[in-house]
């Protein structure tokens, strides 16, 4: 029988502690898709998006990742509309450092004054006094990295954010950040078919830093009928996407996948992936097939 969603447990997903702060289950929710096409404007069905958020929490998700640039502003607003006042164990992570000019258009802005404004706007939209995890969305080559990160350190010292994360960084940029302050998470593109950030994952593993893979469900040609991912999926009565998530959870204990969707049915499919237990041979076969 196909897998059906069951409430997440610490045992099913494993857990990860955000710095010296809260502990979260390792299967979270990414809120980028709660917008219009091109991650721009309002979603086609805002009510369904709010239902997705409520259902995620009902199913035990206690890490939701978003950004001020999703919409822009739309994703954060919907999260507050759907979930505020928030459950005590819910961690909302957001980001600043990208600006938008239209659908699919992203520009980097790491100026300290912009990051401060972005953070304060996020606090207001999310109806929070403090953001538990605030991430620099991407380094800006036009702004010294230490100035961008310095703005987040100031915001943390002022009590507006609790912990600092980085996104879209190299090992060198992570090391530069660590020389300045504690970094608790890194969010880079990473999935079964795209492991270009494996060196960053290794660096995070060495230091106990959480790794949040964005675009976690991409599988490329691996999911073709009769292929290795399809074979493992059939063996578990699962979908290729569920196996891709199960592989991420099995690949590293610091992995924090955040699959996103705007549909409740798809959310439930993703949550059901926590029930899949891949053995070592299956994990190795998938990795070898991915190259």
């Amino acid at each position: 029988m196909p897998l059906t969603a069951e409430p997440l447990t610490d045992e099913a997903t494993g857990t990860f502690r955000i710095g010296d702060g809260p502990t979260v289950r390792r299967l979270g929710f990414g809120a980028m898709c709660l917008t219009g096409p091109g991650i721009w404007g309002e979603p086609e069905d805002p009510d369904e998006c709010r239902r997705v958020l409520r259902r995620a929490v009902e199913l035990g998700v206690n890490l939701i990742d978003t950004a001020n640039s999703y919409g822009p502003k739309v994703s954060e607003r919907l999260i507050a509309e759907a979930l505020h006042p928030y459950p005590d164990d819910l961690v909302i992570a957001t980001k600043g450092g990208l600006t938008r000019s239209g659908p699919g258009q992203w520009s980097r802005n790491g100026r300290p004054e912009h990051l401060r404004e972005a953070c304060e706007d996020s606090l207001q939209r999310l109806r929070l006094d403090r953001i538990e995890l605030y991430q620099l969305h991407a380094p800006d080559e036009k702004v010294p990295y230490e100035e961008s990160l310095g703005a987040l350190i100031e915001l943390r010292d002022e009590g507006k954010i609790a912990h600092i994360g980085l996104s879209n960084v190299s090992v060198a940029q992570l090391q530069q950040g660590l020389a300045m302050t504690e970094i608790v998470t890194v969010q880079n593109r990473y999935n079964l078919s795209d492991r270009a950030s494996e060196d960053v994952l290794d660096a995070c593993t060495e230091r106990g830093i959480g790794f949040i893979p964005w675009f976690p469900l991409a599988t490329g040609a691996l999911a073709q009928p009769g292929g290795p991912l399809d074979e493992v999926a059939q063996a578990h009565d699962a979908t290729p996407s569920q196996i891709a998530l199960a592989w991420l959870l099995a690949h590293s204990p610091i992995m924090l996948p955040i699959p996103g969707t705007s549909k409740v049915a798809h959310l439930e499919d993703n949550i059901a992936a926590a029930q899949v237990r891949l053995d070592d041979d299956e994990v190795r076969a998938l990795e070898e097939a991915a190259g």
Side-chain angles (χ1 to χ4, degrees), residues 168-187:
N168 299 301
V169 293
S170 64
V171 171
Q173 289 165 332
L174 171 59
Q175 291 172 336
Q176 186 178 354
L178 287 167
M180 295 180 62
T181 190
E182 180 185 22
I183 303 298
V184 300
T185 59
V186 169
Q187 183 168 166

Side-chain angles (χ1 to χ4, degrees), residues 12 33 74 76 82 117 121 132 157 166 178 211 214 219 223 235 281:
C33 295
V74 173
E76 289 181 333
E117 180 181 5
D121 286 351
E132 191 66 40
D157 292 346
L166 301 175
L178 287 167
F211 187 89
W214 63 264
T219 56
D281 289 341

Side-chain angles (χ1 to χ4, degrees), residues 89-140:
D89 68 339
L90 180 63
V91 171
I92 298 175
T94 192
K95 312 178 211 55
L98 294 183
T99 59
R100 308 296 305 283
S101 57
Q105 301 297 311
W106 308 80
S107 299
R108 300 188 179 198
N109 187 341
R111 293 182 296 111
E113 57 270 29
H114 170 75
L115 292 170
R116 173 171 290 276
E117 180 181 5
C119 179
E120 292 178 347
D121 286 351
S122 290
L123 282 165
Q124 184 175 13
R125 269 189 301 279
L126 290 167
R127 306 179 202 174
L128 289 170
D129 295 323
R130 184 180 71 169
I131 294 168
E132 191 66 40
L133 174 58
Y134 195 82
Q135 304 155 91
L136 179 63
H137 210 149
D140 181 354

